[in-house]
Amino acid sequence: MGYPTVYPTGVTLYNKSKAYSGYTIFHSAKGAQLIDMNGREVKTWTGTLGFPDRILPGGYLVTSSNKYRDKLEFLERADLLQVDWNGNVVWRFDKNTKIQTDDGEVYVAKQSHDWQRESLPLGYFSPNSLPKTEGENTIIITHERTNDPKISPHTINDEKIIEVDWQGNIVWSWKASEHFDELGFDEAAKNTIYRTPGRGSGRHDWLTFNNISILGENKWYDNGDERFNPENILFDARQANILGIIEKKTGKVVWRLGPEFSENEALKKLGQIMGQHHLHLIQKGLPGEGDILVFDNGGASGYGVPTVNSETGINHYQRNYSRVLQFNPVTLDITWQYTPEEAGFNTFTDPTKFFSSYVSSAQRLPNGNTLITEGSDGRVLEVTAEHEIVWEYINPYFETHFSDKTKKTNFLFRAYRVPYEWVPQLSRPEEVDIKPVDIETFRVPGTVSVIGEGEVTEVK
């Protein structure tokens, strides 16, 4: 796919009669940014790293600082903190493990990719509930260096989930390596994982968890399915193509999809999910409640037999387009989706026109719309249930790419929409429709502005 060198940024269209209007929070090169529906930057918190940034009622921001950034892996943060509207820290967690810095040995969180408060679902909010701003426990994805010869002769960067109380005490923890046999790898995948060497710092990111979510109240548990106990934890491992539920009281993986999606007809119909992000259960009170919502990235991921496109067996699965999937977690039937086809593109010739091979998310809104972060190109769009785009934003801020220092990127990890009422410090903004530009007639200043003039000769 070829990209233009010049294109609009900011909000490019807005249909206020069909969109769910509110503030949108995300992390850009500028910091933690809050924008309104017309793209006005109403608040920016600098000095943050966000992973991800979220707003709580009252205008509180939960984020991370940029402390010790050069001493941690690029996917790790030194702390997780909650600040008020004026940037004052009202809660911080960093007492997980110690690292050596220029200031000596210090405690850090090693937080990575996600966190969740008890009353703040990963889908973010429901009309039925208002998240609390203090006193709650928080679950956090962290890393721990592990040596397990059953998995690899190399040091692995093990995924570890911890639960901390408001005082910062770790009250529960879970390590992925201790549940290796519950993750569904076949012998080919196990062999590839075993052969994979550590990277520059000697670690091997063998799973790459990018989100965790407390299930919360749901109809499956109400109907007697113990796998969906509200306290259980949903997770996804993007590198391994695994989606699962951890039983909180035992630590066992009691529900799992992947890494192979060919085990039965239901999985084959769902199709291979790969490189996925932002897996969560749509919470009660929202359209589609009880279904799974996930941004199925595509790209390259997984482990298997070496192929022409994957000589080592790493990134065994490859696909050059993305899908947003909503599906029943029991029957696996797809109940809604957004793919290149729904986006209006030919899936044979133009599949990459809806494609983000990393980061990204999807949030169900109270009016039934879905806010989608197509993250690799900094695009956020809100679509209706009928797939009409009613709001679109392109991130205008570029920074050095995290994996290729010679390139610039405007990528966004994850964006969320919140009600105006959650930010009482601001008056409700004036909303103005933004009609999409007619690209057939639009011209930049200084070029020909009149379309269709000039001599025309018909060849007979």
Side-chain angles (χ1 to χ4, degrees):
M1 176 181 178
Y3 290 89
T5 57
V6 177
Y7 51 88
T9 60
V11 174
T12 60
L13 69 91
Y14 171 38
N15 184 334
K16 66 179 184 179
S17 67
K18 293 186 177 182
Y20 180 83
S21 295
Y23 294 116
T24 304
I25 180 72
F26 53 83
H27 190 88
S28 76
K30 194 174 180 180
Q33 286 195 261
L34 192 68
I35 65 170
D36 67 17
M37 298 301 291
N38 285 99
R40 287 179 287 258
E41 298 172 7
V42 296
K43 182 72 173 182
T44 300
W45 289 266
T46 60
T48 63
L49 286 177
F51 215 18
D53 289 324
R54 291 195 185 101
I55 290 288
L56 299 178
Y60 292 96
L61 171 74
V62 183
T63 184
S64 57
S65 74
N66 59 8
K67 291 175 62 177
Y68 311 122
R69 189 174 188 179
D70 61 332
K71 304 297 181 182
L72 293 161
E73 301 287 350
F74 77 90
L75 293 178
E76 295 176 352
R77 302 293 185 257
D79 51 23
L80 185 66
L81 51 89
Q82 180 175 324
V83 302
D84 64 18
W85 187 253
N86 297 315
N88 301 305
V89 176
V90 297
W91 179 84
R92 183 195 303 270
F93 173 74
D94 58 9
K95 298 294 189 295
N96 182 31
T97 187
K98 288 183 177 181
I99 63 169
Q100 191 66 39
T101 73
D102 296 338
D103 300 323
E105 198 173 47
V106 299
Y107 271 108
V108 291
K110 298 192 79 174
Q111 181 261 338
S112 177
H113 282 95
D114 212 4
W115 58 271
Q116 187 195 343
R117 289 273 170 79
E118 291 175 294
S119 66
L120 185 68
L122 191 60
Y124 204 35
F125 72 92
S126 167
N128 291 359
S129 62
L130 189 68
K132 298 178 182 178
T133 59
E134 61 181 19
E136 288 194 319
N137 289 9
T138 307
I139 58 170
I140 306 170
I141 298 176
T142 70
H143 287 156
E144 181 174 301
R145 299 288 183 86
T146 298
N147 291 287
D148 188 331
K150 178 177 63 176
I151 300 172
S152 172
H154 310 283
T155 298
I156 60 175
N157 218 16
D158 208 6
E159 302 291 350
K160 184 177 181 180
I161 303 172
I162 60 174
E163 179 181 358
V164 301
D165 63 20
W166 189 252
Q167 291 71 40
N169 303 303
I170 299 175
V171 297
W172 181 85
S173 65
W174 182 92
K175 283 177 61 175
S177 62
E178 296 174 354
H179 300 270
F180 182 65
D181 293 332
E182 300 169 28
L183 297 178
F185 292 116
D186 61 19
E187 287 304 311
K190 289 179 181 179
N191 289 339
T192 296
I193 293 171
Y194 190 85
R195 294 194 310 269
T196 301
R199 298 180 185 172
S201 57
R203 64 6 178 218
H204 168 32
D205 292 321
W206 63 297
L207 289 174
T208 314
F209 279 18
N210 62 50
N211 72 258
I212 48 174
S213 174
I214 301 168
L215 287 177
E217 294 183 4
N218 63 85
K219 63 184 180 181
W220 312 114
Y221 183 73
D222 293 344
N223 292 333
D225 194 329
E226 289 290 336
R227 299 174 300 173
F228 296 89
N229 188 305
E231 70 174 14
N232 289 352
I233 296 172
L234 189 66
F235 73 91
D236 86 50
R238 67 91 53 212
Q239 179 57 42
N241 301 336
I242 296 173
L243 299 71
I245 294 176
I246 299 165
E247 187 175 57
K248 182 76 177 299
K249 62 183 179 182
T250 66
K252 294 181 179 179
V253 177
V254 293
W255 177 94
R256 174 182 55 79
L257 300 183
E260 293 278 351
F261 284 72
S262 58
E263 297 175 13
N264 54 54
E265 290 304 313
L267 282 171
K268 290 177 182 177
K269 189 175 180 180
L270 182 62
Q272 179 71 45
I273 293 175
M274 61 184 79
Q276 71 284 345
H277 283 73
H278 201 207
L279 171 75
H280 62 278
L281 200 72
I282 300 174
Q283 60 265 39
K284 280 190 173 182
L286 291 176
E289 65 176 61
D291 283 350
I292 291 286
L293 192 63
V294 62
F295 192 102
D296 175 16
N297 293 69
S301 60
Y303 303 101
V305 176
T307 65
V308 172
N309 295 323
S310 173
E311 294 181 357
T312 63
I314 304 171
N315 294 334
H316 174 80
Y317 297 94
Q318 299 181 23
R319 191 184 71 224
N320 63 346
Y321 64 90
S322 298
R323 306 185 295 171
V324 175
L325 295 179
Q326 176 187 330
F327 62 90
N328 182 310
V330 177
T331 66
L332 306 187
D333 291 329
I334 295 175
T335 52
W336 185 83
Q337 63 181 355
Y338 191 80
T339 72
E341 184 174 349
E342 281 78 24
F345 304 118
N346 185 303
T347 52
F348 180 71
T349 60
D350 299 316
T352 57
K353 288 185 177 179
F354 180 65
F355 184 32
S356 177
S357 62
Y358 64 105
V359 297
S360 308
S361 62
Q363 176 196 0
R364 178 56 44 80
L365 300 171
N367 66 350
N369 290 356
T370 304
L371 188 75
I372 299 171
T373 307
E374 190 184 358
S376 62
D377 293 313
R379 180 178 182 234
V380 186
L381 60 153
E382 179 182 343
V383 302
T384 66
E386 294 74 35
H387 311 111
E388 178 186 355
I389 299 176
V390 294
W391 185 83
E392 182 183 55
Y393 175 84
I394 309 297
N395 176 24
Y397 298 108
F398 288 74
E399 60 186 319
T400 302
H401 197 283
F402 60 83
S403 65
D404 185 349
K405 303 304 181 184
T406 66
K407 301 292 191 300
K408 293 284 188 178
T409 178
N410 66 337
F411 88 97
L412 295 175
F413 175 55
R414 192 183 296 170
Y416 284 110
R417 178 72 47 76
V418 300
Y420 289 128
E421 294 74 25
W422 283 24
V423 186
Q425 294 84 355
L426 299 172
S427 300
R428 185 183 177 113
E430 180 184 358
E431 300 166 347
V432 180
D433 278 321
I434 300 175
K435 295 183 179 180
V437 172
D438 182 351
I439 60 173
E440 291 187 3
T441 60
F442 177 76
R443 297 294 184 271
V444 299
T447 64
V448 175
S449 59
V450 180
I451 308 301
E453 289 194 352
E455 183 176 320
V456 177
T457 300
E458 180 181 359
V459 178
K460 298 180 180 179

